[in-house]
Amino acid sequence: MDRIDAMRLFTRIVDLGSFTAAAEDMNVPRATATYTLQQLEQRLGVRLLHRTTRHVSPTLDGQAYYERCHR
């Protein structure tokens, strides 16, 4: 995925609160969504999401990036 698609995927993950739902919404495999977000976090040098087995939420840096993505 290119950078813009990665940003779109990130915003969908935050909006939907789920990697699986975001991957389905964007018609990509869940593994691709996970890998893409990991690459985005590496490129930016920050952790964007808090992940648990049941919940996904943005970190402070992730929330700031989410707001920038929407602009």
Side-chain angles (χ1 to χ4, degrees):
M1 283 190 170
D2 66 14
R3 187 174 176 180
I4 300 297
D5 287 336
M7 291 168 66
R8 285 187 188 124
L9 176 64
F10 169 70
T11 60
R12 293 306 295 155
I13 292 169
V14 173
D15 289 342
L16 299 173
S18 165
F19 276 84
T20 302
E24 288 175 2
D25 185 62
M26 295 191 67
N27 296 317
V28 297
R30 186 186 186 290
T32 300
T34 301
Y35 179 76
T36 299
L37 188 68
Q38 288 171 344
Q39 293 299 312
L40 180 61
E41 287 178 328
Q42 256 186 339
R43 191 175 335 148
L44 296 173
V46 295
R47 184 106 170 148
L48 296 173
L49 297 172
H50 292 291
R51 301 165 178 87
T52 67
T53 56
R54 295 179 183 239
H55 187 69
V56 176
S57 63
T59 62
L60 289 177
D61 290 328
Q63 185 63 40
Y65 187 68
Y66 174 82
E67 291 169 9
R68 289 183 66 195
C69 287
H70 271 285
R71 286 188 214 143

